Amino acid sequence: MEVDRASRPIDPGILARLQARLDELGGISEEPGRLTRWFQSDAMRRVNQRMIEWGTAAGLVPTVDAIGNVRLRRDSAVVPTPGVPRPLLVLGSHLDTVRDAGRFDGPLGVLTALACVEQLQAWGKVPPFDVEVVGFADEEGLRFQTAYLGSAFYIGQFQEAWLGLRGEEGVTLREVLSHEGGVAESVLAAQRTPDGLIGYLEVHIEQGPHLESVDRAVGVVSAIAAQTRARLLFTGRADHAGTTSMELRRDALCAAAECILAVEAKARSVDGMRATVGQIAVEPSASNVVPATVTLSLDIRHAVDAVLAAAVEQLKLETARLAAVRGIGLRWEILQEGTAVPMDEHLSAVLRSGVERVQRDVPVLVSGAGHDAAVMARVCPVAMLFVRCRGGVSHHPDEFASPTDIAAGLSVLADAVCRLADGDVAVSGKGIR
Ligand code: HGY
Ligand code: MN
Ligand code: MN
């Protein structure tokens, strides 16, 4: 018998299980003493296996697709109309992490999605659409510096050119996928956009200080900022550190250092801009050899596409000038260019209704962090709910969301799915309208 919507308390047992699972996944890592899970790592396989066990116990049908996304599907009881795809609502986030990560970024969304399905079952609520909980295989891009490999595959937009990407351990994505069974091209052939997508909802820790600053448990995302990822390759000349005068050197690392400060100065000069050089590689990396080559990563973001594009062009000119003055070669490789992604207004309104039930008002904020929702938005309406993040600390082991705030997130998500099931917002194979 279905529980009346107005009195839908969240089951404390489901919340306790969510918390325990978060803690368990937070201990599955490729590196001792810290949480690191990169694409197609053994740790990802172990996490997927736990998701399969938990999903099966909840009566969901588990699969792991060719790229490594774990999918837990619950079909509705509705008999589909011949020739019309079954409507499908996707709930999820990613299960990979950055290096030395916090345990909430990604898994909070996947496990809240699973808990949401369990909670609807406990309420006796069976939506008239299929629901799939997805744990994406690679959102961070830690292994190949290209984010969203999992969600791009999920929507059928994995690019063959990515097979040539080479990770820091020297292997290509093609080699990794071929090693995982099945030639990489067959992995590509396996991808297809899921039929009947009506929408995608993602719960995610805010990874910033806003909700804490307004003392609210949850907030609704308005848009995801645009981001560009690039690699800068500086070429100088190796020389003896003791016999080469300062005037005669072509020191790639000094040129890179000036460019790193130019990146920082640019970001500081543009309101709302974020730019980060997070990785650096020096060759031959010997204390008594003038650095010959340096490779830098660049991650630069802004909520407005045109502002980001202008800043990237200005930095290309500025870094080229700084390198040329020193006689250093500089090559930019753009690895990924994303535009700002607005959230769907109808689906966001459903989340806002749920937020109004759990707190006095509804903070609405832009996400400076990227999310799989930015990819899913290419094929269906998407909306995101943020959960308060202690101190705004993320991509760090101190990342933390409180059980009370996690409960609020689950309550809002479950309420939203019930509203969609009750037809508060028209759903069809073409999405939410
Ligand atoms: O980098 C990001 O914005 C996200 O955490 N992958
Ligand atoms: Mn994330
Ligand atoms: Mn992240």
Side-chain angles (χ1 to χ4, degrees):
M1 194 274 280
E2 183 181 335
V3 172
D4 171 61
R5 178 193 297 184
S7 65
R8 279 186 188 136
I10 294 294
D11 178 335
I14 290 174
L15 271 174
R17 217 164 34 217
L18 198 176
Q19 199 65 51
R21 290 168 177 171
L22 265 171
D23 295 342
E24 180 177 340
L25 295 194
I28 300 178
S29 175
E30 277 302 296
E31 296 179 335
R34 61 185 191 175
L35 176 57
T36 305
R37 276 199 303 266
W38 56 77
F39 174 70
Q40 288 287 355
S41 61
D42 180 55
M44 285 299 287
R45 271 184 290 280
R46 285 185 282 145
V47 161
N48 280 356
Q49 185 51 40
R50 293 300 280 142
M51 290 303 300
I52 289 169
E53 289 159 8
W54 295 332
T56 305
L60 302 171
V61 176
T63 52
V64 176
D65 64 26
I67 205 77
N69 298 318
V70 59
R71 305 178 180 197
L72 308 173
R73 184 157 184 149
R74 178 179 176 75
D75 285 355
S76 78
V78 173
V79 176
T81 309
V84 176
R86 303 174 64 91
L88 170 65
L89 177 68
V90 181
L91 310 173
S93 191
H94 60 96
L95 291 171
D96 66 309
T97 73
V98 293
R99 181 160 286 121
D100 198 11
R103 66 186 188 284
F104 299 87
D105 173 6
L108 174 63
V110 181
L111 293 171
T112 300
L114 177 55
C116 174
V117 171
E118 292 173 329
Q119 184 58 75
L120 263 65
Q121 286 170 345
W123 285 336
K125 186 76 188 172
V126 181
F129 43 76
D130 298 350
V131 178
E132 186 157 79
V133 172
V134 181
F136 291 113
D138 180 79
E139 185 273 344
E140 301 287 3
L142 176 60
R143 188 168 190 180
F144 292 103
Q145 284 79 51
T146 295
Y148 310 135
L149 297 180
S151 41
F153 180 90
Y154 186 86
I155 67 168
Q157 293 186 14
F158 186 97
Q159 307 299 318
E160 183 158 7
W162 295 345
L163 292 175
L165 289 170
R166 191 173 296 276
E168 55 192 32
E169 78 268 46
V171 293
T172 64
L173 181 47
R174 178 191 304 281
E175 289 161 341
V176 168
L177 289 177
S178 303
H179 171 70
E180 293 310 318
V183 176
E185 282 70 11
S186 65
V187 167
L188 284 178
Q191 68 173 336
R192 53 187 288 278
T193 309
D195 292 329
L197 277 175
I198 60 174
Y200 171 73
L201 291 171
E202 181 168 358
V203 174
H204 203 287
I205 188 167
E206 179 198 341
Q207 298 182 292
H210 181 71
L211 290 177
E212 191 169 65
S213 72
V214 296
D215 189 22
R216 292 292 182 271
V218 291
V220 174
V221 175
S222 56
I224 297 172
Q227 62 173 284
T228 292
R229 293 195 184 192
R231 185 178 289 143
L232 277 62
L233 300 105
F234 296 79
T235 308
R237 187 186 63 222
D239 275 315
H240 195 295
T243 57
T244 312
S245 72
M246 298 310 285
E247 294 70 30
L248 294 180
R249 295 179 178 210
R250 289 178 48 219
D251 185 327
L253 187 50
C254 289
E258 270 197 310
C259 291
I260 292 170
L261 293 178
V263 165
E264 183 194 39
K266 169 55 69 182
R268 284 181 184 277
S269 71
V270 179
D271 185 35
M273 180 155 287
R274 311 276 193 279
T276 312
V277 173
Q279 291 171 309
I280 184 168
V282 181
E283 289 297 336
S285 190
S287 63
N288 60 349
V289 178
V290 176
T293 63
V294 169
T295 304
L296 296 183
S297 68
L298 174 62
D299 176 320
I300 184 166
R301 312 185 188 198
H302 196 273
V304 177
D305 294 349
V307 172
L308 177 62
V312 169
E313 287 314 305
Q314 289 152 14
L315 276 172
K316 281 180 181 173
L317 293 173
E318 173 66 358
T319 53
R321 185 186 65 76
L322 290 169
V325 164
R326 291 170 171 271
I328 300 293
L330 170 57
R331 181 159 58 86
W332 276 60
E333 280 182 3
I334 299 293
L335 300 175
Q336 201 159 37
E337 281 179 308
T339 56
V341 179
M343 298 291 101
D344 179 83
E345 58 175 290
H346 301 279
L347 213 43
S348 298
V350 176
L351 286 181
R352 280 200 298 274
S353 305
V355 172
E356 282 159 354
R357 282 185 56 240
V358 299
Q359 63 189 35
R360 284 194 302 277
D361 54 23
V362 186
V364 177
L365 57 161
V366 171
S367 174
H371 302 285
D372 289 301
V375 174
M376 292 296 290
R378 296 177 204 159
V379 295
C380 70
V382 304
M384 285 194 72
L385 182 75
F386 271 171
V387 175
R388 175 167 33 193
C389 175
R390 185 178 61 192
V393 171
S394 182
H395 283 188
H396 186 283
D398 289 348
E399 181 184 81
F400 181 78
S402 73
T404 310
D405 292 350
I406 291 171
L410 173 55
S411 178
V412 172
L413 184 65
D415 181 79
V417 178
C418 286
R419 288 173 190 276
L420 295 174
D422 294 344
D424 283 17
V425 180
V427 298
S428 71
K430 295 183 183 54
I432 308 287
R433 287 293 168 260

